[in-house]
């Protein structure tokens, strides 16, 4: 059996960072007991030649897989902080639970943006909802990267990605926190690596993880 060799390079974070924090986030967060994240809306911007090798259905599956990978990576990031003792008051809803609850309401990746963060939070029974957009010119998750490479023979070593994530309050739907950042990395970089790098500094202004 032939072995597949992937090039793993570290993700680097560069300029073009925008971070917004609601002045009342700390006060509002005191009443929060459980939060959830939904799949990130993803756009994989392939080159025209690469697009010709993919069907719309294949691209949709690829983007859905990426969006759910970012959702899972965010969940893992919060769990690590909770285990470390940084988030003793807050529970994080498992993405499998969140997606199952939404599925019972006929809400999935494709129509998720038809609902407001306030509506999604109410359906999920949480105090705040984390959502976002993710754009990349190559998939970040290993499975999607391998699938793309096998499908169209493309194994580029670097990629560009932009992540825009938000935290909305469930009670009134107001924006509590927004983080927009452009990053670069390798096709072998995982969503966990991406989120860890992104949140390294941004978490200092995230009410749930601030040092008391």
């Amino acid at each position: 059996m032939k072995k597949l060799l992937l090039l793993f390079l570290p993700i680097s974070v560069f300029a073009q960072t925008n971070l917004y924090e609601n002045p009342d986030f700390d006060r509002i967060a005191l009443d929060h007991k459980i939060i959830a994240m939904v799949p990130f809306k993803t756009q994989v911007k392939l080159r025209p030649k690469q697009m010709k090798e993919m069907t719309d259905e294949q691209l949709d599956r690829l983007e859905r897989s990426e969006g759910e990978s970012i959702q899972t990576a965010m969940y893992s990031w919060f769990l690590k902080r909770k285990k470390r003792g940084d988030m003793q008051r807050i529970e994080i809803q498992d993405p499998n639970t969140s997606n199952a609850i939404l599925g019972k309401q006929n809400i999935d990746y494709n129509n998720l943006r038809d609902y407001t963060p306030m509506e999604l939070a109410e359906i999920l029974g949480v105090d705040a909802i984390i959502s976002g957009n993710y754009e990349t010119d190559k998939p970040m998750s290993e499975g999607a990267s391998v699938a793309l490479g096998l499908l169209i023979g493309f194994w580029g070593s670097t990629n560009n990605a932009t992540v825009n994530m938000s935290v909305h309050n469930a009670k009134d739907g107001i924006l509590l926190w927004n983080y927009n950042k452009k990053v670069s990395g390798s096709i072998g970089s995982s969503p966990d690596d991406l989120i860890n790098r992104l949140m390294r500094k941004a978490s200092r202004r995230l009410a749930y993880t601030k040092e008391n």
Side-chain angles (χ1 to χ4, degrees):
M1 179 182 292
K2 293 183 179 179
K3 293 184 177 180
L4 183 65
L5 178 63
L6 290 177
L7 179 62
F8 288 84
L9 297 175
I11 294 174
S12 61
V13 180
F14 51 97
Q16 302 185 27
T17 301
N18 294 294
L19 197 156
Y20 164 78
E21 180 187 12
N22 188 303
D24 294 325
F25 190 9
D26 288 349
R27 177 184 59 79
I28 294 173
L30 290 176
D31 294 327
H32 289 179
K33 295 180 175 60
I34 182 169
I35 61 176
M37 55 281 305
V38 295
F40 277 43
K41 190 64 176 179
T42 302
Q43 184 177 12
V44 180
K45 295 182 176 180
L46 302 177
R47 298 173 184 174
K49 184 177 180 180
Q50 298 164 354
M51 287 295 296
K52 291 180 180 180
E53 304 296 327
M54 297 188 71
T55 66
D56 291 341
E57 183 179 356
Q58 289 171 330
L59 181 60
D60 180 70
R61 287 203 305 266
L62 181 69
E63 291 179 336
R64 178 171 184 157
S65 175
E66 286 290 287
E68 291 176 347
S69 293
I70 296 297
Q71 177 194 24
T72 301
M74 280 298 304
Y75 175 66
S76 297
W77 185 87
F78 276 110
L79 281 187
K80 291 176 183 176
R81 271 45 191 190
K82 186 172 179 60
K83 183 177 180 180
R84 203 167 63 185
D86 296 340
M87 299 177 59
Q88 296 181 0
R89 295 185 302 103
I90 300 294
E91 296 296 327
I92 310 99
Q93 190 173 87
D94 189 308
N96 292 324
T97 299
S98 302
N99 295 343
I101 294 173
L102 293 175
K104 291 178 181 178
Q105 299 296 322
N106 296 317
I107 303 173
D108 59 18
Y109 174 83
N110 292 317
N111 66 358
L112 194 64
R113 293 305 180 269
D114 293 339
Y115 298 83
T116 67
M118 185 176 176
E119 290 172 330
L120 293 173
E122 182 178 0
I123 292 171
L124 294 175
V126 298
D127 299 306
I129 196 86
I130 297 175
S131 60
N133 299 314
Y134 172 54
E135 294 182 4
T136 181
D137 54 8
K138 301 182 189 72
M140 187 68 71
S141 62
E142 183 177 350
S145 300
V146 172
L148 181 61
L150 294 175
L151 181 64
I152 62 179
F154 186 73
W155 301 100
S157 61
T158 61
N159 69 317
N160 297 313
T162 301
V163 179
N164 188 318
M165 66 181 74
S166 300
V167 179
H168 286 87
N169 193 38
K171 185 176 181 179
D172 48 22
I174 65 171
L175 178 65
L176 299 175
W177 188 85
N178 176 265
Y179 186 46
N180 184 299
K181 196 171 188 68
K182 189 173 183 179
V183 299
S184 66
S186 76
I187 198 169
S189 301
S190 72
D192 289 305
D193 293 333
L194 174 66
I195 295 302
N196 287 336
R197 298 270 181 165
L198 285 172
M199 298 300 290
R200 183 170 297 171
K201 292 184 178 180
S203 62
R204 299 173 186 173
R205 294 178 60 182
L206 184 63
Y208 306 125
T209 58
K210 284 182 178 178
E211 296 181 1
N212 296 321

